[in-house]
Amino acid sequence: MRIFVVLLLSTVPFLAFAQANLSTKSKKAAEYYYQADNYRVRGQYTMAIQLLEQAIDKDDKFHEAYFRLGIIYKAKGELDRAEQLLLKADNLSEKAGPGNAFELGELYLLKAEYKKSIEYIDRYLSANPRNSRRLADANKIKNDAQFALDNMELASEFNPRPLSDTVNAFPMQYFPVVTVDQKAVIFTRRLGTTMNHDEDLVISRKNADGRWMHPESLSENINSEWNEGTCTLSADGRVLIFTSCYGRKGYGSCDLYISKKVGDEWSVPVNLGGNINSSAWESQPSLSSDGRTLYFISNRGGGVGGRDIWVSYLDDKEQWSRPANLGTSINTPNDEVSPFIHPNNITLYFASNGLTGFGGFDIFYAERIDKTWSEPKNIGYPINTSADQVSLYITSDGERGYYSHEITNDPDQKGKLYEFNVPSNVRVKYRTSYVTGHVFDAVTKKPLKAGIELYDLRNEAREGFVYSDSVTGDYLMVLTEGSEYALYVNKSGYLFESLSFEYQLNEDLKPVEVNIYLSPISEGAKAVLNNIFFDVDSYALKAKSQTELNKLINFLNTNPSIRIEIGGHTDNTGSAQYNLDLSLKRAKSVYDFLIEKNISKARLSYKGYGQATPAFPNDSDLHRQMNRRIEFRIIR
């Protein structure tokens, strides 16, 4: 009882002092006001609103109550009501502090009334505020409003439009991921509009007429009684990483999980482990096209701001590296969310509320140049607006985008999926296509799981690495325009196969379908070295042959017991003797290179075949080109 009396008495002078600083003379109105604030700070807005309305009933000139009520409605997203209340508070008091001007400036930014936003923020700034954090926020609001005024007229080409109601069939749908062939979209659907409602991953496919079909559960192995949220998919459609925030055993409040598709079946998800997940919050993953680079969001320590973009790499032992922060060229002291790395593995899209934009979270993009990133650019209006914009996906050809857009005037549906055209001025610099097919044993014709590597011949850098499916032999590898590529298919016990692709700027980037047959290592087995290059009428190896030659050296070192013959072949252009001499000299150039790289002479021989053994009839430019070749053959 004594404790109760002491506590009760201690509140009396506080209330008396506090009321003296309010505009109202009504003790009851002041009591309601302070009671409301206790509920407001805990996010219990319904009770706070009721108490503030009772305070206004007691004193309809109580401008602090109008002000506080306006702040609550602004937090709830009811902007028109918030505007009425804040203006009422502003009009009631000639002594209204700069805080009212700040709130109105921020409100009008949210309402996309940018001139009014600047007007009120200028009023706030003219009061010379001393709160450094609030001052920085005010300058950010003003910069955003001015940026919006300067850039509102540049965007008619986007033409954003909602997907059909067949796809937008749920109260909420967001974070779309489109397959490389653009025939399916995977996204998160929520069965209600609050965080307590269930989230699952669903897939909608296009039918033969190009119409999106009704979404179905992605997999019973993935969706569960718990929540499955934002996801990412490798380009070949066989690696899925998604977010789950409760129910599954994890490291923190939200973790990333991985599932792999073998045949038509998704595996039971597995936590990505302690190298990726932490005691903090990890979410919103984005995989590179080959599934070996992972971007994601975390609020772990050691970052630049609150929520940052981090990156991790999958090594050849299938282990994820410790994540690295993407740094200040991308991350700001505020928040970055929803990264999306384009299939070209060069262009990164993300949302930020720390960069100058139209207000709230805007979508930006930057390009990777070697190991650095270009300055982020705002993708523009009307994709970006004064509302928060997140979860963007741009198709591999760079021509179409998908994103989720919040619906504010429909209480039963809070988010829909939209598509839009990508204007040429904001289109990715490098588009992509892909090569796909199956890998088979050349003898048994059975599907094989093989490693498939993509090399850029300009710099001998490996750009991608995937496995073909162990059940079907399916593979898919993304090709980015502007480069000349070597594609290698490898499996222990087999000769490797090499393919050559030249995707130069502005060429037709139609997908290529190639089935690959790997020959078991046996006497007489042979393979074409499609990425050995010579100038016309020359036997000097061109520099871009280095990648293929290194691949052959690695094959010989991995199989030390075999002997090979290097065979040179030509088409039928020119005399037979000239072609025989040229083919011999070209085969010897490869032989000499291998000797220089410490391959034993005892394991090598070379021979020129000239035009005597064509692989194809010499009846077209393409066939003649394919007949001009270097082969290696097992002769053990």
Side-chain angles (χ1 to χ4, degrees):
M1 180 64 70
R2 292 179 61 194
I3 295 174
F4 172 77
V5 171
V6 171
L7 290 174
L8 181 62
L9 291 174
S10 69
T11 63
V12 174
F14 169 76
L15 286 172
F17 174 78
Q19 185 178 342
N21 290 319
L22 295 174
S23 62
T24 186
K25 294 180 180 180
S26 168
K27 292 182 180 180
K28 197 63 178 175
E31 182 181 337
Y32 287 141
Y33 178 86
Y34 286 114
Q35 288 177 2
D37 227 32
N38 288 329
Y39 286 104
R40 180 186 66 85
V41 297
R42 296 196 297 267
Q44 296 173 287
Y45 291 150
T46 300
M47 282 300 301
I49 289 171
Q50 291 177 5
L51 288 164
L52 287 168
E53 288 175 342
Q54 291 180 64
I56 291 170
D57 285 341
K58 293 295 181 182
D59 182 356
D60 64 0
K61 300 293 192 291
F62 189 2
H63 73 79
E64 292 93 344
Y66 286 106
F67 174 73
R68 193 70 78 196
L69 200 54
I71 290 176
I72 291 174
Y73 276 106
K74 182 158 73 76
K76 284 167 58 68
E78 298 182 36
L79 302 184
D80 291 341
R81 180 61 175 149
E83 180 184 12
Q84 295 171 1
L85 292 161
L86 290 172
L87 288 175
K88 179 73 172 179
D90 207 48
N91 293 332
L92 279 173
S93 174
E94 295 179 357
K95 298 180 180 179
N100 205 70
F102 177 90
E103 294 294 340
L104 280 164
E106 186 174 55
L107 173 75
Y108 283 122
L109 181 68
L110 293 171
K111 287 173 66 69
E113 297 183 37
Y114 298 115
K115 289 183 179 179
K116 288 184 179 180
S117 176
I118 292 173
E119 174 187 338
Y120 279 99
I121 289 299
D122 280 343
R123 196 179 96 184
Y124 169 78
L125 294 172
S126 69
N128 296 316
R130 297 182 180 180
N131 185 323
S132 59
R133 177 61 185 270
R134 182 55 66 93
L135 182 61
D137 290 342
N139 284 318
K140 173 71 165 58
I141 292 169
K142 184 175 180 178
N143 290 338
D144 285 349
Q146 189 60 56
F147 176 87
L149 288 173
D150 294 340
N151 292 278
M152 286 286 286
E153 306 300 325
L154 305 178
S156 60
E157 297 178 54
F158 280 96
N159 186 29
R161 57 228 177 248
L163 297 184
S164 69
D165 290 343
T166 304
V167 178
N168 287 310
F170 309 102
M172 294 188 73
Q173 37 266 305
Y174 40 87
F175 283 95
V177 175
V178 182
T179 55
V180 170
D181 61 9
Q182 301 185 43
K183 293 181 180 179
V185 57
I186 298 171
F187 58 93
T188 305
R189 71 100 177 97
R190 190 188 291 179
L191 293 180
T193 58
T194 72
M195 295 297 293
N196 295 324
H197 288 96
D198 184 51
E199 290 179 314
D200 277 340
L201 297 176
V202 296
I203 182 169
S204 173
R205 296 178 174 88
K206 279 185 178 178
N207 64 14
D209 297 325
R211 296 181 179 179
W212 294 108
M213 305 299 288
H214 184 77
E216 302 173 343
S217 172
L218 183 61
S219 169
E220 292 183 359
N221 283 345
I222 293 173
N223 291 323
S224 68
E225 60 186 299
W226 307 302
N227 73 316
E228 289 75 34
T230 55
C231 75
T232 182
L233 188 71
S234 61
D236 62 9
R238 283 195 289 275
V239 178
L240 179 89
I241 294 177
F242 67 93
T243 309
S244 185
C245 296
Y246 61 85
R248 292 180 170 86
K249 186 177 179 180
Y251 292 80
S253 58
C254 288
D255 276 9
L256 299 179
Y257 294 78
I258 187 169
S259 176
K260 296 183 179 181
K261 193 175 186 181
V262 180
D264 293 326
E265 191 78 11
W266 286 103
S267 66
V268 174
V270 175
N271 191 290
L272 272 182
N275 267 10
I276 298 293
N277 294 312
S278 70
S279 59
W281 180 87
E282 279 79 38
S283 186
Q284 301 173 3
S286 180
L287 278 169
S288 61
S289 56
D290 66 351
R292 305 190 77 82
T293 303
L294 174 64
Y295 300 85
F296 64 96
I297 300 297
S298 178
N299 61 354
R300 65 182 66 195
V304 176
R307 296 180 178 182
D308 282 357
I309 303 176
W310 297 73
V311 63
S312 176
Y313 304 95
L314 190 66
D315 63 24
D316 289 343
K317 296 181 180 178
E318 302 299 302
Q319 297 295 313
W320 289 102
S321 67
R322 286 283 181 184
N325 190 279
L326 228 52
T328 55
S329 58
I330 298 295
N331 293 315
T332 71
N334 290 25
D335 289 329
E336 279 64 50
V337 297
S338 64
F340 160 62
I341 186 68
H342 188 266
N344 66 18
N345 202 25
I346 294 171
T347 311
L348 178 71
Y349 296 85
F350 62 98
S352 174
N353 65 2
L355 297 169
T356 300
F358 292 84
F361 280 98
D362 273 13
I363 292 171
F364 296 82
Y365 65 98
E367 292 188 340
R368 181 172 55 84
I369 305 170
D370 295 326
K371 295 183 179 180
T372 63
W373 294 96
S374 66
E375 182 179 354
K377 296 181 180 179
N378 193 296
I379 198 172
Y381 180 87
I383 305 306
N384 289 326
T385 67
S386 59
D388 289 340
Q389 307 298 329
V390 295
S391 72
L392 177 80
Y393 192 96
I394 303 294
T395 56
S396 57
D397 59 13
E399 296 182 0
R400 183 170 298 183
Y402 295 82
Y403 72 113
S404 55
H405 180 62
E406 185 174 355
I407 309 300
T408 58
N409 58 359
D410 186 348
D412 297 321
Q413 188 164 35
K414 291 296 184 182
K416 283 188 175 183
L417 297 183
Y418 277 64
E419 65 179 343
F420 63 91
N421 306 325
V422 182
S424 58
N425 64 308
V426 293
R427 198 168 292 166
V428 293
K429 185 180 295 185
Y430 299 106
R431 302 169 298 163
T432 66
S433 187
Y434 57 92
V435 55
T436 187
H438 302 79
V439 181
F440 299 105
D441 183 301
V443 177
T444 67
K445 305 301 187 287
K446 291 182 178 180
L448 292 176
K449 178 181 180 179
I452 301 170
E453 299 173 292
L454 183 71
Y455 279 83
D456 187 335
L457 294 177
R458 295 174 306 178
N459 53 20
E460 301 176 47
R462 192 173 78 173
E463 297 290 330
F465 176 51
V466 300
Y467 287 102
S468 57
D469 188 275
S470 61
V471 174
T472 64
D474 290 354
Y475 76 93
L476 184 148
M477 180 68 80
V478 167
L479 304 172
T480 301
E481 70 176 341
S483 291
E484 192 171 358
Y485 294 109
L487 192 74
Y488 296 106
V489 186
N490 317 278
K491 185 173 179 62
S492 179
Y494 291 81
L495 274 62
F496 70 89
E497 287 286 330
S498 72
L499 290 80
S500 183
F501 297 94
E502 187 171 1
Y503 266 35
Q504 295 298 337
L505 203 61
N506 297 323
E507 288 190 1
D508 184 7
L509 297 181
K510 288 185 178 179
V512 178
E513 186 168 348
V514 180
N515 290 332
I516 298 167
Y517 294 85
L518 294 183
S519 298
I521 295 175
S522 61
E523 188 170 357
K526 59 184 178 181
V528 177
L529 298 172
N530 284 304
N531 294 289
I532 299 290
F533 302 99
F534 305 92
D535 284 326
V536 176
D537 295 331
S538 171
Y539 55 88
L541 289 163
K542 298 183 73 171
K544 63 181 180 179
S545 304
Q546 185 76 42
T547 300
E548 188 99 332
L549 293 166
N550 288 340
K551 176 60 67 174
L552 180 57
I553 290 168
N554 182 66
F555 173 79
L556 292 169
N557 288 334
T558 304
N559 300 277
S561 63
I562 67 171
R563 297 175 60 245
I564 65 169
E565 176 195 85
I566 307 297
H569 301 263
T570 69
D571 61 19
N572 64 350
T573 304
S575 69
Q577 186 59 50
Y578 176 85
N579 287 332
L580 185 64
D581 291 342
L582 181 62
S583 66
L584 179 66
K585 290 176 180 178
R586 287 180 169 179
K588 187 175 186 300
S589 292
V590 175
Y591 171 88
D592 289 340
F593 182 93
L594 297 177
I595 297 298
E596 290 176 6
K597 297 299 180 180
N598 299 317
I599 301 298
S600 171
K601 289 183 178 180
R603 300 181 61 194
L604 302 173
S605 64
Y606 64 93
K607 184 176 180 179
Y609 289 88
Q611 63 192 47
T613 56
F616 297 91
N618 286 292
D619 53 6
S620 68
D621 289 341
L622 176 61
H623 282 170
R624 281 188 288 272
Q625 178 184 338
M626 297 176 75
N627 285 332
R628 299 190 295 268
R629 68 196 189 279
I630 296 290
E631 289 181 345
F632 74 96
R633 181 170 61 91
I634 306 297
I635 57 173
R636 65 181 180 186

